[in-house]
Amino acid sequence: MVGVPRSKGCKTCRRKKIKCDEQKPRCGQCRKGVRECEGYDQPTIFRHSSVRDFAGTSHSCDRKAIPSENQPVGNVTWANDQRAQSKKKTVPRQERPSQRAHPYAIAKTKHAQSQLAKTVPLLRTPDSMVLAVQSITGQFLELCLPLSEAQEAPLAWLGDIKEMGQDIDALPLAMSALALGWAGHVDNQSHLADKGLQLYNAAIRQLRDDMNTYSPLQSLIVTTIFVAFELCQFGSKGNTGWLAHMKGIAAFLQALGPEKVSTDPYLKIYSFCRVVFIMQGLTRRRSVCAGSHMWIHGPFRNHKKNAYHQFYDLSAEACGLLGCADDLLQADEVETEQAERVLRDILHLISRLKEWVQDSNIVGFSGPIKFPSNNQITDLELGRSRAHGYPMRLPLGSGFTSDALYWQMMMYNYWTLRLDLYMTILDNPVLSSLLKTSDECQALVRAELELRGRGTGQTPAALVYEECRKLANNIAINFTSECYNTCQSFGSLVTAYTLETVIRWYERHSSGASQMDVELKQHCQAILDGIRIEESKNLCPFEVSVLPDEVLKQHWC
């Protein structure tokens, strides 16, 4: 035959020798099998034939296939089939048809006839790898659900968007990548983690190809999964791909506005992104886009915020206040009124954090509390290498309940934020001087820290110092791997901020430190070093940005 591809299926299905349903731009077989569809571009194959073959003579020539990628096939006249020539039937030229039936059409006719006769063979059973991926994804989605109504599960929205994969080709690839990465590390099966990385890069390529056909909401969904994969797989410092994705998310949110993400599942997706924005702002000590009044209240205007969302509202304010405090050190001349305003705002925020704890009815920890030892540090490192930033199930025999671990995580975040704010007051020369000269600021500090007569007679600076030491010791002594491996869904982002804040306190105030403070500092440093070592093992060599540079360089991103 001349100019006829032997199959109209996609390249992936033809390579795997399975029936392709020829859907475009991505066939159903590849979508169902969570594979990258390589498309339908096929070379046109020309077969060399003598002119005499068309005249019905018995002369035959060797048929050599000559591929031609750009040659159209619409004007090509089909050659006579060699088997029909062997019959040597004499047909008058005027009655001979100008074209023979295409063999592919003959095959389709036979297939239709066999269907009518109910003789079509059964379809092939799904590939074992496809079934395994579907099973692993189902287990991971179940793990992401909250364990009680009082808890907030950052990745619970994954189950709500599962069915959207029919409209978003990159979505099943991204979800399978996240699930396989989790299974590969938790079950210590490196081949699953490698497969997850392959699907992750396939999802990025798919999203790049289809970006112009997706709405900002659809692109937001897939890019948020990319952020979760990057943070869990590579950590917050192991690879900067999640930062590029967060810039893209900022661009999508700017295009959408708060109203578009005010309903589920998009509100849950925005809540996940908001926490990542805020933790990045606390680490960089700068205000973030999610901390503006429009984005704090706009998406939640039809929803009552729980304790989890209320805490991150306060954390978003803290990002801007930390930046304002640092700016005081950069200014050549600082007005006293400006410095007093920053200090008052920080103290008022600390007071509102205290009210948040009281309103949340946090009664304390129900699990075992032990002073950290070398064995505990080893257990933390092993748990971290297994979890690798992915959420885990509550280990049997841990002595904790799910609600206790959840509120313990929130208490760690509360202690860390208070420590960061108090430490900013103490370590900032401009603000610390106001503790000696401003009567209003002294009164605010004493009202906050002098409880039941304790601390009476101490200077405000001494009260702040004792509070910082108490907060740092609480975090270091009570730190457990179960809390962060079970309740977190942000990789090492939250854990690293907590440990870095505590270590910074011990390093800056090491003079006169007790032996317990030294041991607690070493304990936190050992845990942080173990996290960094694990993150350095899995550097991603791929370019992960899905948006052009001119978009990512915008101020809002």
Side-chain angles (χ1 to χ4, degrees):
M1 289 183 297
V2 184
V4 183
R6 287 172 291 181
S7 173
K8 291 186 178 181
C10 72
K11 296 179 182 179
T12 305
C13 291
R14 288 190 291 122
R15 189 178 68 254
K16 291 184 172 291
K17 298 182 180 180
I18 58 178
K19 178 66 176 177
C20 181
D21 58 11
E22 301 179 19
Q23 294 184 15
K24 295 181 180 180
R26 185 167 178 239
C27 78
Q29 289 283 22
C30 292
R31 185 183 293 109
K32 186 187 303 182
V34 199
R35 291 185 291 268
E36 182 181 8
C37 188
E38 299 177 8
Y40 293 87
D41 295 333
Q42 303 175 16
T44 304
I45 299 177
F46 285 84
R47 300 188 182 278
H48 178 70
S49 299
S50 173
V51 178
R52 283 172 290 182
D53 290 336
F54 291 91
T57 62
S58 60
H59 180 79
S60 63
C61 300
D62 295 333
R63 296 185 176 184
K64 184 178 180 180
I66 305 176
S68 175
E69 296 184 357
N70 301 318
Q71 179 68 29
V73 298
N75 298 326
V76 177
T77 303
W78 308 120
N80 293 328
D81 189 85
Q82 194 173 23
R83 288 173 297 178
Q85 294 177 9
S86 61
K87 298 180 181 180
K88 298 183 179 181
K89 291 184 179 180
T90 303
V91 181
R93 189 174 184 83
Q94 62 275 15
E95 298 179 4
R96 188 167 183 170
S98 59
Q99 290 185 344
R100 296 288 303 259
H102 193 294
Y104 182 73
I106 296 175
K108 293 293 288 183
T109 302
K110 291 182 178 180
H111 181 73
Q113 292 174 349
S114 61
Q115 280 187 320
L116 294 175
K118 296 183 179 181
T119 59
V120 180
L122 295 176
L123 296 176
R124 293 181 57 183
T125 57
D127 186 82
S128 59
M129 185 62 185
V130 175
L131 295 177
V133 171
Q134 293 175 349
S135 175
I136 292 173
T137 303
Q139 296 176 34
F140 179 73
L141 294 180
E142 182 180 356
L143 181 64
C144 295
L145 296 176
L147 298 178
S148 69
E149 295 182 357
Q151 298 182 17
E152 186 77 17
L155 292 178
W157 48 272
L158 287 173
D160 300 334
I161 65 171
K162 184 179 179 181
E163 300 302 326
M164 295 184 183
Q166 298 177 357
D167 302 321
I168 311 174
D169 289 339
L171 180 57
L173 294 171
M175 291 186 65
S176 299
L178 186 61
L180 288 177
W182 162 77
H185 290 290
V186 173
D187 297 335
N188 195 25
Q189 299 186 39
S190 59
H191 68 282
L192 291 180
D194 293 340
K195 181 65 175 178
L197 184 58
Q198 294 175 8
L199 292 177
Y200 168 63
N201 285 281
I204 290 179
R205 291 193 295 268
Q206 190 70 46
L207 182 59
R208 284 174 178 167
D209 295 340
D210 300 341
M211 181 71 70
N212 294 331
T213 63
Y214 289 168
S215 68
L217 281 175
Q218 292 175 320
S219 299
L220 173 67
I221 292 173
V222 181
T223 310
T224 305
I225 300 178
F226 291 166
V227 172
F229 180 86
E230 285 274 345
L231 288 175
C232 293
Q233 182 75 13
F234 308 115
S236 58
K237 296 294 180 64
N239 189 57
T240 58
W242 67 277
L243 290 173
H245 291 319
M246 289 305 297
K247 290 182 179 180
I249 288 174
F252 295 140
L253 291 175
Q254 184 186 30
L256 291 167
E259 183 67 25
K260 294 291 186 178
V261 295
S262 60
T263 57
D264 288 332
Y266 305 109
L267 180 60
K268 295 179 181 178
I269 295 173
Y270 168 71
S271 300
F272 175 87
C273 298
R274 178 172 98 122
V275 174
V276 179
F277 277 126
I278 292 172
M279 295 311 304
Q280 183 185 4
L282 291 173
T283 303
R284 297 173 57 243
R285 301 174 68 87
R286 289 296 170 193
S287 60
V288 292
C289 56
S292 64
H293 183 275
M294 178 178 68
W295 285 101
I296 287 179
H297 302 287
F300 299 92
R301 64 188 186 121
N302 297 323
H303 300 266
K304 184 179 180 181
K305 292 184 178 180
N306 55 21
Y308 177 88
H309 294 300
Q310 292 170 1
F311 173 78
Y312 281 106
D313 284 347
L314 300 174
S315 301
E317 293 185 40
C319 297
L321 288 176
L322 293 175
C324 291
D326 292 345
D327 290 340
L328 295 176
L329 300 176
Q330 305 297 328
D332 296 333
E333 294 183 5
V334 180
E335 297 181 0
T336 304
E337 182 180 354
Q338 178 186 3
E340 288 181 347
R341 183 171 62 252
V342 173
L343 181 56
R344 283 196 305 268
D345 291 343
I346 293 177
L347 292 174
H348 284 151
L349 179 58
I350 293 174
S351 178
R352 289 159 58 198
L353 281 168
K354 183 179 177 180
E355 294 175 358
W356 171 83
V357 171
Q358 295 172 350
D359 295 339
S360 300
N361 298 320
I362 301 178
V363 296
F365 304 154
S366 63
I369 298 177
K370 299 179 181 179
F371 191 82
S373 61
N374 292 333
N375 291 335
Q376 185 180 6
I377 293 176
T378 303
D379 293 340
L380 287 168
E381 292 176 349
L382 291 175
R384 184 70 201 177
S385 63
R386 285 187 60 222
H388 216 270
Y390 290 94
M392 291 181 61
R393 297 186 184 278
L394 183 66
L396 297 176
S398 63
F400 290 92
T401 63
S402 61
D403 286 338
L405 280 180
Y406 178 78
W407 289 115
Q408 183 172 345
M409 176 197 70
M410 296 304 299
M411 282 300 296
Y412 280 139
N413 298 340
Y414 164 75
W415 285 338
T416 305
L417 188 57
R418 278 175 60 94
L419 174 61
D420 205 355
L421 292 170
Y422 273 129
M423 192 163 45
T424 298
I425 297 174
L426 200 62
D427 295 341
N428 190 304
V430 178
L431 299 180
S432 60
S433 64
L434 292 176
L435 295 179
K436 302 176 182 179
T437 59
S438 174
D439 294 337
E440 181 183 1
C441 295
Q442 290 179 5
L444 289 174
V445 172
R446 292 185 183 280
E448 178 68 24
L449 298 179
E450 284 186 357
L451 302 175
R452 299 178 183 177
R454 291 164 50 187
T456 304
Q458 289 184 320
T459 64
L463 291 173
V464 173
Y465 177 87
E466 288 298 326
E467 182 68 12
C468 288
R469 184 174 180 271
K470 173 186 174 182
L471 292 169
N473 290 349
N474 279 344
I475 296 172
I477 292 175
N478 295 285
F479 196 92
T480 61
S481 62
E482 286 86 357
C483 173
Y484 280 98
N485 289 344
T486 305
C487 299
Q488 290 291 356
S489 302
F490 304 98
S492 64
L493 190 62
V494 181
T495 309
Y497 168 68
T498 299
L499 293 173
E500 288 172 350
T501 303
V502 174
I503 293 171
R504 188 168 71 250
W505 160 257
Y506 286 128
E507 289 178 345
R508 292 182 178 179
H509 302 274
S510 58
S511 60
S514 64
Q515 181 62 29
M516 184 183 75
D517 292 344
V518 174
E519 293 179 359
L520 290 176
K521 188 259 182 183
Q522 294 174 350
H523 165 70
C524 294
Q525 188 66 58
I527 298 174
L528 183 61
D529 291 343
I531 293 175
R532 296 301 183 222
I533 291 174
E534 286 298 324
E535 291 178 348
S536 64
K537 294 179 181 178
N538 294 275
L539 297 178
C540 182
F542 301 99
E543 174 62 39
V544 297
S545 176
V546 296
L547 290 177
D549 292 340
E550 56 268 19
V551 175
L552 300 180
K553 290 179 180 179
Q554 294 180 7
H555 174 71
W556 209 79
C557 298

mmCIF file of all heavy atoms in Angstrom, residues 15 48 52 69 120 126 171 173 198 213 279 288 291 315 326 345 368 379 408 422 485 498 500 502 528-529 540:
data_model
loop_
_atom_site.group_PDB
_atom_site.id
_atom_site.type_symbol
_atom_site.label_atom_id
_atom_site.label_comp_id
_atom_site.label_asym_id
_atom_site.label_seq_id
_atom_site.Cartn_x
_atom_site.Cartn_y
_atom_site.Cartn_z
ATOM 1 N N ARG A 15 3.181 0.959 21.031
ATOM 2 C CA ARG A 15 4.380 0.350 21.595
ATOM 3 C C ARG A 15 4.045 -0.756 22.591
ATOM 4 O O ARG A 15 4.727 -1.772 22.675
ATOM 5 C CB ARG A 15 5.235 1.418 22.286
ATOM 6 C CG ARG A 15 6.606 0.906 22.705
ATOM 7 C CD ARG A 15 7.480 1.965 23.335
ATOM 8 N NE ARG A 15 6.959 2.394 24.626
ATOM 9 C CZ ARG A 15 6.362 3.538 24.856
ATOM 10 N NH1 ARG A 15 6.181 4.398 23.872
ATOM 11 N NH2 ARG A 15 5.927 3.856 26.060
ATOM 12 N N HIS A 48 7.428 1.499 -2.780
ATOM 13 C CA HIS A 48 7.831 1.663 -4.176
ATOM 14 C C HIS A 48 7.155 0.601 -5.031
ATOM 15 O O HIS A 48 7.208 -0.585 -4.740
ATOM 16 C CB HIS A 48 9.352 1.541 -4.277
ATOM 17 C CG HIS A 48 9.844 1.649 -5.692
ATOM 18 N ND1 HIS A 48 9.806 2.831 -6.395
ATOM 19 C CD2 HIS A 48 10.378 0.713 -6.498
ATOM 20 C CE1 HIS A 48 10.323 2.616 -7.594
ATOM 21 N NE2 HIS A 48 10.670 1.344 -7.684
ATOM 22 N N ARG A 52 3.626 -0.510 -14.015
ATOM 23 C CA ARG A 52 2.964 -1.642 -14.650
ATOM 24 C C ARG A 52 2.062 -2.389 -13.683
ATOM 25 O O ARG A 52 1.158 -3.099 -14.089
ATOM 26 C CB ARG A 52 4.014 -2.592 -15.239
ATOM 27 C CG ARG A 52 4.614 -2.083 -16.535
ATOM 28 C CD ARG A 52 5.779 -2.948 -16.982
ATOM 29 N NE ARG A 52 6.915 -2.774 -16.088
ATOM 30 C CZ ARG A 52 8.087 -3.383 -16.280
ATOM 31 N NH1 ARG A 52 8.250 -4.207 -17.306
ATOM 32 N NH2 ARG A 52 9.072 -3.173 -15.450
ATOM 33 N N GLU A 69 7.652 12.008 6.679
ATOM 34 C CA GLU A 69 6.896 12.530 7.807
ATOM 35 C C GLU A 69 5.894 13.589 7.400
ATOM 36 O O GLU A 69 4.870 13.757 8.029
ATOM 37 C CB GLU A 69 7.860 13.105 8.850
ATOM 38 C CG GLU A 69 8.773 12.048 9.449
ATOM 39 C CD GLU A 69 9.636 12.638 10.547
ATOM 40 O OE1 GLU A 69 9.534 13.860 10.762
ATOM 41 O OE2 GLU A 69 10.371 11.893 11.174
ATOM 42 N N VAL A 120 -16.470 -11.531 19.352
ATOM 43 C CA VAL A 120 -15.351 -10.664 19.688
ATOM 44 C C VAL A 120 -14.674 -11.197 20.944
ATOM 45 O O VAL A 120 -15.335 -11.496 21.934
ATOM 46 C CB VAL A 120 -15.843 -9.226 19.935
ATOM 47 C CG1 VAL A 120 -14.684 -8.314 20.286
ATOM 48 C CG2 VAL A 120 -16.563 -8.721 18.704
ATOM 49 N N PRO A 126 -6.811 -5.285 32.945
ATOM 50 C CA PRO A 126 -5.922 -4.152 33.209
ATOM 51 C C PRO A 126 -4.533 -4.614 33.610
ATOM 52 O O PRO A 126 -4.346 -5.662 34.238
ATOM 53 C CB PRO A 126 -6.632 -3.423 34.359
ATOM 54 C CG PRO A 126 -8.057 -3.827 34.253
ATOM 55 C CD PRO A 126 -8.029 -5.233 33.733
ATOM 56 N N LEU A 171 -3.874 15.709 35.903
ATOM 57 C CA LEU A 171 -4.274 15.453 37.284
ATOM 58 C C LEU A 171 -4.010 14.018 37.739
ATOM 59 O O LEU A 171 -3.392 13.814 38.797
ATOM 60 C CB LEU A 171 -5.744 15.821 37.471
ATOM 61 C CG LEU A 171 -6.324 15.617 38.873
ATOM 62 C CD1 LEU A 171 -5.529 16.397 39.901
ATOM 63 C CD2 LEU A 171 -7.789 16.037 38.902
ATOM 64 N N LEU A 173 -1.892 11.913 36.633
ATOM 65 C CA LEU A 173 -0.441 11.721 36.688
ATOM 66 C C LEU A 173 0.130 12.319 37.965
ATOM 67 O O LEU A 173 0.961 11.691 38.643
ATOM 68 C CB LEU A 173 0.214 12.371 35.470
ATOM 69 C CG LEU A 173 -0.107 11.770 34.094
ATOM 70 C CD1 LEU A 173 0.445 12.665 32.991
ATOM 71 C CD2 LEU A 173 0.467 10.369 33.968
ATOM 72 N N GLN A 198 8.997 9.806 37.892
ATOM 73 C CA GLN A 198 8.754 9.791 36.452
ATOM 74 C C GLN A 198 7.363 10.347 36.126
ATOM 75 O O GLN A 198 7.196 11.149 35.196
ATOM 76 C CB GLN A 198 8.891 8.364 35.916
ATOM 77 C CG GLN A 198 10.303 7.799 36.010
ATOM 78 C CD GLN A 198 10.353 6.339 35.590
ATOM 79 O OE1 GLN A 198 9.381 5.784 35.087
ATOM 80 N NE2 GLN A 198 11.491 5.695 35.799
ATOM 81 N N THR A 213 -5.294 25.443 27.345
ATOM 82 C CA THR A 213 -6.657 24.905 27.282
ATOM 83 C C THR A 213 -7.287 24.772 28.661
ATOM 84 O O THR A 213 -8.467 24.462 28.756
ATOM 85 C CB THR A 213 -6.655 23.533 26.592
ATOM 86 O OG1 THR A 213 -5.872 22.611 27.370
ATOM 87 C CG2 THR A 213 -6.070 23.632 25.204
ATOM 88 N N MET A 279 4.098 30.118 56.014
ATOM 89 C CA MET A 279 5.334 29.555 56.557
ATOM 90 C C MET A 279 6.545 30.104 55.817
ATOM 91 O O MET A 279 7.607 30.336 56.421
ATOM 92 C CB MET A 279 5.303 28.028 56.452
ATOM 93 C CG MET A 279 4.230 27.356 57.290
ATOM 94 S SD MET A 279 4.166 27.911 59.010
ATOM 95 C CE MET A 279 5.850 27.573 59.545
ATOM 96 N N VAL A 288 3.288 38.424 53.161
ATOM 97 C CA VAL A 288 2.967 37.574 52.015
ATOM 98 C C VAL A 288 1.623 38.001 51.451
ATOM 99 O O VAL A 288 0.823 38.677 52.113
ATOM 100 C CB VAL A 288 2.935 36.083 52.417
ATOM 101 C CG1 VAL A 288 4.324 35.597 52.776
ATOM 102 C CG2 VAL A 288 1.968 35.849 53.574
ATOM 103 N N GLY A 291 -1.512 37.274 53.313
ATOM 104 C CA GLY A 291 -1.718 37.996 54.555
ATOM 105 C C GLY A 291 -2.487 39.295 54.407
ATOM 106 O O GLY A 291 -2.745 39.972 55.409
ATOM 107 N N SER A 315 -0.910 34.173 62.290
ATOM 108 C CA SER A 315 0.440 33.946 61.755
ATOM 109 C C SER A 315 0.704 34.827 60.544
ATOM 110 O O SER A 315 1.834 35.304 60.344
ATOM 111 C CB SER A 315 0.612 32.474 61.378
ATOM 112 O OG SER A 315 0.417 31.628 62.493
ATOM 113 N N ASP A 326 12.388 44.208 61.494
ATOM 114 C CA ASP A 326 13.706 44.148 60.853
ATOM 115 C C ASP A 326 14.016 45.424 60.081
ATOM 116 O O ASP A 326 15.170 45.839 59.994
ATOM 117 C CB ASP A 326 13.779 42.935 59.916
ATOM 118 C CG ASP A 326 13.752 41.613 60.677
ATOM 119 O OD1 ASP A 326 13.954 41.624 61.900
ATOM 120 O OD2 ASP A 326 13.519 40.573 60.026
ATOM 121 N N ASP A 345 2.079 46.704 68.354
ATOM 122 C CA ASP A 345 1.405 45.727 67.482
ATOM 123 C C ASP A 345 1.868 44.309 67.784
ATOM 124 O O ASP A 345 1.058 43.364 67.780
ATOM 125 C CB ASP A 345 1.667 46.074 66.014
ATOM 126 C CG ASP A 345 0.960 47.348 65.583
ATOM 127 O OD1 ASP A 345 0.035 47.780 66.298
ATOM 128 O OD2 ASP A 345 1.349 47.930 64.542
ATOM 129 N N PRO A 368 2.723 10.313 76.300
ATOM 130 C CA PRO A 368 3.881 10.274 77.203
ATOM 131 C C PRO A 368 4.862 11.389 76.885
ATOM 132 O O PRO A 368 5.127 11.688 75.732
ATOM 133 C CB PRO A 368 4.494 8.902 76.917
ATOM 134 C CG PRO A 368 4.062 8.582 75.519
ATOM 135 C CD PRO A 368 2.714 9.209 75.350
ATOM 136 N N ASP A 379 15.398 7.458 67.037
ATOM 137 C CA ASP A 379 14.043 7.117 66.590
ATOM 138 C C ASP A 379 13.467 8.218 65.703
ATOM 139 O O ASP A 379 12.787 7.947 64.704
ATOM 140 C CB ASP A 379 13.128 6.891 67.789
ATOM 141 C CG ASP A 379 13.523 5.651 68.584
ATOM 142 O OD1 ASP A 379 14.226 4.793 68.005
ATOM 143 O OD2 ASP A 379 13.160 5.565 69.766
ATOM 144 N N GLN A 408 -1.311 18.810 69.892
ATOM 145 C CA GLN A 408 0.097 18.990 70.226
ATOM 146 C C GLN A 408 0.821 19.705 69.079
ATOM 147 O O GLN A 408 1.658 20.580 69.313
ATOM 148 C CB GLN A 408 0.750 17.639 70.509
ATOM 149 C CG GLN A 408 2.210 17.746 70.939
ATOM 150 C CD GLN A 408 2.765 16.422 71.403
ATOM 151 O OE1 GLN A 408 2.005 15.491 71.674
ATOM 152 N NE2 GLN A 408 4.077 16.320 71.513
ATOM 153 N N TYR A 422 8.588 37.195 70.693
ATOM 154 C CA TYR A 422 9.291 37.680 71.883
ATOM 155 C C TYR A 422 10.781 37.846 71.617
ATOM 156 O O TYR A 422 11.410 38.804 72.077
ATOM 157 C CB TYR A 422 9.075 36.712 73.057
ATOM 158 C CG TYR A 422 7.836 36.989 73.868
ATOM 159 C CD1 TYR A 422 6.915 35.973 74.145
ATOM 160 C CD2 TYR A 422 7.578 38.257 74.379
ATOM 161 C CE1 TYR A 422 5.776 36.219 74.892
ATOM 162 C CE2 TYR A 422 6.438 38.511 75.129
ATOM 163 C CZ TYR A 422 5.544 37.486 75.381
ATOM 164 O OH TYR A 422 4.412 37.744 76.126
ATOM 165 N N ASN A 485 5.206 13.583 61.909
ATOM 166 C CA ASN A 485 5.074 12.613 60.825
ATOM 167 C C ASN A 485 3.625 12.214 60.591
ATOM 168 O O ASN A 485 3.267 11.806 59.495
ATOM 169 C CB ASN A 485 5.910 11.367 61.110
ATOM 170 C CG ASN A 485 7.397 11.644 60.987
ATOM 171 O OD1 ASN A 485 7.797 12.645 60.420
ATOM 172 N ND2 ASN A 485 8.202 10.771 61.544
ATOM 173 N N THR A 498 10.165 25.472 63.143
ATOM 174 C CA THR A 498 10.145 25.298 64.595
ATOM 175 C C THR A 498 11.543 25.056 65.139
ATOM 176 O O THR A 498 11.986 25.715 66.093
ATOM 177 C CB THR A 498 9.227 24.129 64.971
ATOM 178 O OG1 THR A 498 7.896 24.406 64.532
ATOM 179 C CG2 THR A 498 9.229 23.890 66.466
ATOM 180 N N GLU A 500 14.526 25.589 63.711
ATOM 181 C CA GLU A 500 15.444 26.700 63.467
ATOM 182 C C GLU A 500 15.209 27.857 64.447
ATOM 183 O O GLU A 500 16.167 28.509 64.879
ATOM 184 C CB GLU A 500 15.295 27.190 62.022
ATOM 185 C CG GLU A 500 15.862 26.223 60.988
ATOM 186 C CD GLU A 500 15.527 26.636 59.572
ATOM 187 O OE1 GLU A 500 14.698 27.570 59.419
ATOM 188 O OE2 GLU A 500 16.075 26.050 58.628
ATOM 189 N N VAL A 502 14.023 27.578 67.568
ATOM 190 C CA VAL A 502 14.533 27.166 68.882
ATOM 191 C C VAL A 502 16.058 27.215 68.907
ATOM 192 O O VAL A 502 16.670 27.715 69.867
ATOM 193 C CB VAL A 502 14.021 25.761 69.233
ATOM 194 C CG1 VAL A 502 14.658 25.256 70.519
ATOM 195 C CG2 VAL A 502 12.508 25.765 69.366
ATOM 196 N N LEU A 528 17.352 18.410 63.277
ATOM 197 C CA LEU A 528 17.377 19.239 62.065
ATOM 198 C C LEU A 528 18.439 18.744 61.090
ATOM 199 O O LEU A 528 18.203 18.712 59.874
ATOM 200 C CB LEU A 528 17.637 20.693 62.442
ATOM 201 C CG LEU A 528 17.611 21.704 61.288
ATOM 202 C CD1 LEU A 528 16.242 21.726 60.625
ATOM 203 C CD2 LEU A 528 17.984 23.094 61.778
ATOM 204 N N ASP A 529 19.597 18.341 61.598
ATOM 205 C CA ASP A 529 20.641 17.813 60.718
ATOM 206 C C ASP A 529 20.175 16.545 60.010
ATOM 207 O O ASP A 529 20.476 16.335 58.827
ATOM 208 C CB ASP A 529 21.913 17.529 61.522
ATOM 209 C CG ASP A 529 22.587 18.802 62.005
ATOM 210 O OD1 ASP A 529 22.268 19.880 61.470
ATOM 211 O OD2 ASP A 529 23.415 18.708 62.926
ATOM 212 N N CYS A 540 16.278 17.150 42.923
ATOM 213 C CA CYS A 540 15.566 16.976 41.650
ATOM 214 C C CYS A 540 16.295 17.741 40.555
ATOM 215 O O CYS A 540 16.451 18.957 40.652
ATOM 216 C CB CYS A 540 14.127 17.476 41.768
ATOM 217 S SG CYS A 540 13.163 17.263 40.269
#
